[in-house]
Amino acid sequence: MGMPAAKALACLRVSVGALFLVFGEYKVFGTQFTLHGGFQYWINLFLQGGAYPFMAPVLKSFVLPHATAIAFFVAYGELAIGIALALGILVRAAGLFGLVYMLTLLFSANYPGAHAPFWQYFGASLEHLVLALCFAAFAITRRQDTLQLRRLWLRDRTSA
């Protein structure tokens, strides 16, 4: 009745890849995020109350002084993750990098406050935590269980 797990995971992977293609595309091919302060805007917004206390000094002392270079790294990283996931190429590496990226965003933007109950840490982080869990699943999936376009294409050619 249902879809095999490998196909369901592949659908999720391609969907997340498509999202990251969109995220990366507008950052790489536009200049607002990389060259005209878009990245710095978000970092400053995080510093106004969203960053975990251990992350704020990193954002202030390292990220902001190197904002343009890091903005390009983020833009091309998102695009690379999107391409890899959408095409099924280097899925485990894309999953690992995506997980690190989502955790970085989570700790930069989703701090609920020092006196928040434990459960609010999870509620505040849902926008990044759900994708982090998806990336973790992609990172731990065995290579032979990853449905790749190349493998599907070769299978179709050999059966014809």
Side-chain angles (χ1 to χ4, degrees):
M1 181 86 186
M3 179 183 292
K7 284 188 178 182
L9 187 60
C11 288
L12 178 62
R13 174 182 49 80
V14 170
S15 298
V16 171
L19 287 173
F20 271 74
L21 280 171
V22 171
F23 296 157
E25 181 274 332
Y26 89 86
K27 290 173 183 159
V28 167
F29 297 109
T31 57
Q32 180 57 36
F33 183 80
T34 53
L35 296 174
H36 293 106
F39 179 75
Q40 292 89 327
Y41 167 80
W42 285 106
I43 299 303
N44 284 311
L45 192 64
F46 297 160
L47 287 169
Q48 291 175 13
Y52 275 69
F54 69 87
M55 207 53 188
V58 175
L59 295 173
K60 285 179 196 170
S61 302
F62 179 74
V63 174
L64 280 176
H66 303 95
T68 302
I70 294 172
F72 276 100
F73 182 72
V74 167
Y76 281 92
E78 286 183 0
L79 189 64
I81 289 169
I83 290 169
L85 293 179
L87 297 179
I89 302 167
L90 299 171
V91 171
R92 294 178 77 192
L96 184 62
F97 284 110
L99 175 61
V100 169
Y101 180 48
M102 285 298 108
L103 291 177
T104 302
L105 284 174
L106 187 152
F107 292 128
S108 296
N110 297 130
Y111 184 56
H115 302 293
F118 183 67
W119 64 268
Q120 282 185 349
Y121 284 82
F122 295 102
S125 67
L126 279 179
E127 65 182 308
H128 296 112
L129 188 57
V130 171
L131 281 172
L133 293 171
C134 289
F135 283 124
F138 304 149
I140 64 172
T141 301
R142 296 181 311 178
R143 184 173 183 200
Q144 62 268 27
D145 292 338
T146 303
L147 291 179
Q148 301 171 339
L149 289 178
R150 181 181 56 122
R151 195 173 340 145
L152 293 173
W153 185 70
L154 289 175
R155 184 173 53 195
D156 288 343
R157 288 182 53 130
T158 58
S159 65

Short mmCIF file of all heavy atoms in Angstrom, two decimals, residues 64-87:
data_model
loop_
_atom_site.label_atom_id
_atom_site.label_comp_id
_atom_site.label_asym_id
_atom_site.label_seq_id
_atom_site.Cartn_x
_atom_site.Cartn_y
_atom_site.Cartn_z
N LEU A 64 30.93 38.75 11.72
CA LEU A 64 30.72 40.11 11.18
C LEU A 64 31.98 40.70 10.54
O LEU A 64 31.89 41.29 9.47
CB LEU A 64 30.16 41.04 12.26
CG LEU A 64 28.65 40.90 12.49
CD1 LEU A 64 28.20 41.80 13.64
CD2 LEU A 64 27.85 41.19 11.23
N PRO A 65 33.18 40.55 11.13
CA PRO A 65 34.36 41.08 10.46
C PRO A 65 34.68 40.41 9.11
O PRO A 65 35.37 40.98 8.28
CB PRO A 65 35.50 40.83 11.46
CG PRO A 65 34.83 40.74 12.78
CD PRO A 65 33.49 40.11 12.49
N HIS A 66 34.19 39.21 8.91
CA HIS A 66 34.41 38.47 7.66
C HIS A 66 33.09 38.22 6.93
O HIS A 66 32.94 37.22 6.23
CB HIS A 66 35.11 37.14 7.96
CG HIS A 66 36.39 37.29 8.68
ND1 HIS A 66 36.49 37.19 10.05
CD2 HIS A 66 37.64 37.58 8.24
CE1 HIS A 66 37.73 37.39 10.42
NE2 HIS A 66 38.45 37.64 9.34
N ALA A 67 32.16 39.11 7.08
CA ALA A 67 30.78 38.89 6.63
C ALA A 67 30.65 38.63 5.14
O ALA A 67 29.92 37.73 4.73
CB ALA A 67 29.90 40.07 7.04
N THR A 68 31.34 39.38 4.31
CA THR A 68 31.19 39.20 2.86
C THR A 68 31.69 37.83 2.43
O THR A 68 31.00 37.11 1.68
CB THR A 68 31.90 40.31 2.09
OG1 THR A 68 31.36 41.57 2.50
CG2 THR A 68 31.72 40.15 0.59
N ALA A 69 32.84 37.42 2.91
CA ALA A 69 33.38 36.11 2.54
C ALA A 69 32.46 34.99 3.05
O ALA A 69 32.18 34.03 2.32
CB ALA A 69 34.79 35.94 3.11
N ILE A 70 31.98 35.12 4.27
CA ILE A 70 31.11 34.09 4.83
C ILE A 70 29.76 34.08 4.10
O ILE A 70 29.18 33.01 3.88
CB ILE A 70 30.95 34.27 6.35
CG1 ILE A 70 32.30 34.02 7.03
CG2 ILE A 70 29.88 33.34 6.91
CD1 ILE A 70 32.33 34.35 8.50
N ALA A 71 29.28 35.25 3.69
CA ALA A 71 28.03 35.31 2.93
C ALA A 71 28.15 34.53 1.62
O ALA A 71 27.23 33.80 1.24
CB ALA A 71 27.64 36.76 2.65
N PHE A 72 29.27 34.67 0.94
CA PHE A 72 29.49 33.90 -0.29
C PHE A 72 29.60 32.41 0.02
O PHE A 72 29.07 31.58 -0.72
CB PHE A 72 30.74 34.39 -1.03
CG PHE A 72 30.48 35.57 -1.91
CD1 PHE A 72 30.80 36.85 -1.50
CD2 PHE A 72 29.90 35.41 -3.16
CE1 PHE A 72 30.54 37.95 -2.31
CE2 PHE A 72 29.64 36.50 -3.99
CZ PHE A 72 29.96 37.77 -3.56
N PHE A 73 30.27 32.07 1.11
CA PHE A 73 30.39 30.67 1.52
C PHE A 73 29.01 30.08 1.79
O PHE A 73 28.70 28.96 1.37
CB PHE A 73 31.29 30.59 2.76
CG PHE A 73 31.52 29.19 3.25
CD1 PHE A 73 32.32 28.31 2.54
CD2 PHE A 73 30.94 28.76 4.42
CE1 PHE A 73 32.54 27.02 2.98
CE2 PHE A 73 31.15 27.47 4.88
CZ PHE A 73 31.95 26.59 4.16
N VAL A 74 28.16 30.82 2.49
CA VAL A 74 26.80 30.38 2.78
C VAL A 74 26.01 30.21 1.49
O VAL A 74 25.34 29.20 1.28
CB VAL A 74 26.09 31.36 3.74
CG1 VAL A 74 24.59 31.11 3.79
CG2 VAL A 74 26.71 31.28 5.13
N ALA A 75 26.08 31.20 0.62
CA ALA A 75 25.31 31.16 -0.63
C ALA A 75 25.70 29.96 -1.50
O ALA A 75 24.84 29.19 -1.94
CB ALA A 75 25.52 32.47 -1.41
N TYR A 76 26.99 29.80 -1.73
CA TYR A 76 27.44 28.69 -2.56
C TYR A 76 27.27 27.35 -1.85
O TYR A 76 27.02 26.32 -2.49
CB TYR A 76 28.88 28.90 -3.02
CG TYR A 76 28.95 29.86 -4.18
CD1 TYR A 76 29.14 31.22 -3.97
CD2 TYR A 76 28.77 29.42 -5.49
CE1 TYR A 76 29.18 32.12 -5.03
CE2 TYR A 76 28.80 30.30 -6.56
CZ TYR A 76 29.01 31.65 -6.32
OH TYR A 76 29.03 32.52 -7.37
N GLY A 77 27.37 27.36 -0.51
CA GLY A 77 27.13 26.13 0.26
C GLY A 77 25.69 25.67 0.13
O GLY A 77 25.43 24.48 -0.06
N GLU A 78 24.75 26.60 0.25
CA GLU A 78 23.34 26.24 0.10
C GLU A 78 23.07 25.70 -1.30
O GLU A 78 22.35 24.72 -1.46
CB GLU A 78 22.44 27.44 0.39
CG GLU A 78 22.32 27.78 1.85
CD GLU A 78 21.37 28.93 2.11
OE1 GLU A 78 20.80 29.50 1.15
OE2 GLU A 78 21.20 29.27 3.30
N LEU A 79 23.64 26.35 -2.30
CA LEU A 79 23.45 25.89 -3.67
C LEU A 79 24.05 24.50 -3.87
O LEU A 79 23.42 23.62 -4.47
CB LEU A 79 24.06 26.89 -4.66
CG LEU A 79 23.75 26.65 -6.14
CD1 LEU A 79 22.25 26.79 -6.41
CD2 LEU A 79 24.53 27.63 -7.00
N ALA A 80 25.24 24.27 -3.34
CA ALA A 80 25.89 22.96 -3.47
C ALA A 80 25.09 21.87 -2.75
O ALA A 80 24.92 20.76 -3.28
CB ALA A 80 27.31 23.03 -2.91
N ILE A 81 24.59 22.17 -1.56
CA ILE A 81 23.76 21.20 -0.84
C ILE A 81 22.51 20.89 -1.65
O ILE A 81 22.12 19.72 -1.79
CB ILE A 81 23.40 21.74 0.57
CG1 ILE A 81 24.64 21.73 1.47
CG2 ILE A 81 22.27 20.93 1.19
CD1 ILE A 81 24.46 22.49 2.78
N GLY A 82 21.88 21.91 -2.20
CA GLY A 82 20.68 21.71 -3.02
C GLY A 82 20.95 20.84 -4.23
O GLY A 82 20.18 19.91 -4.52
N ILE A 83 22.02 21.10 -4.94
CA ILE A 83 22.36 20.32 -6.13
C ILE A 83 22.64 18.87 -5.74
O ILE A 83 22.13 17.93 -6.36
CB ILE A 83 23.56 20.94 -6.86
CG1 ILE A 83 23.16 22.27 -7.51
CG2 ILE A 83 24.13 19.98 -7.90
CD1 ILE A 83 24.33 23.09 -8.02
N ALA A 84 23.44 18.69 -4.70
CA ALA A 84 23.81 17.33 -4.27
C ALA A 84 22.58 16.53 -3.86
O ALA A 84 22.42 15.37 -4.28
CB ALA A 84 24.81 17.40 -3.11
N LEU A 85 21.71 17.13 -3.07
CA LEU A 85 20.52 16.40 -2.61
C LEU A 85 19.53 16.16 -3.74
O LEU A 85 18.96 15.07 -3.85
CB LEU A 85 19.85 17.15 -1.47
CG LEU A 85 20.64 17.22 -0.16
CD1 LEU A 85 19.86 18.01 0.88
CD2 LEU A 85 21.00 15.84 0.35
N ALA A 86 19.33 17.13 -4.59
CA ALA A 86 18.36 16.98 -5.68
C ALA A 86 18.81 15.91 -6.68
O ALA A 86 17.98 15.14 -7.19
CB ALA A 86 18.15 18.31 -6.40
N LEU A 87 20.11 15.83 -6.93
CA LEU A 87 20.62 14.87 -7.90
C LEU A 87 21.05 13.54 -7.28
O LEU A 87 21.33 12.58 -8.00
CB LEU A 87 21.79 15.47 -8.68
CG LEU A 87 21.47 16.70 -9.53
CD1 LEU A 87 22.72 17.20 -10.22
CD2 LEU A 87 20.37 16.38 -10.53
#
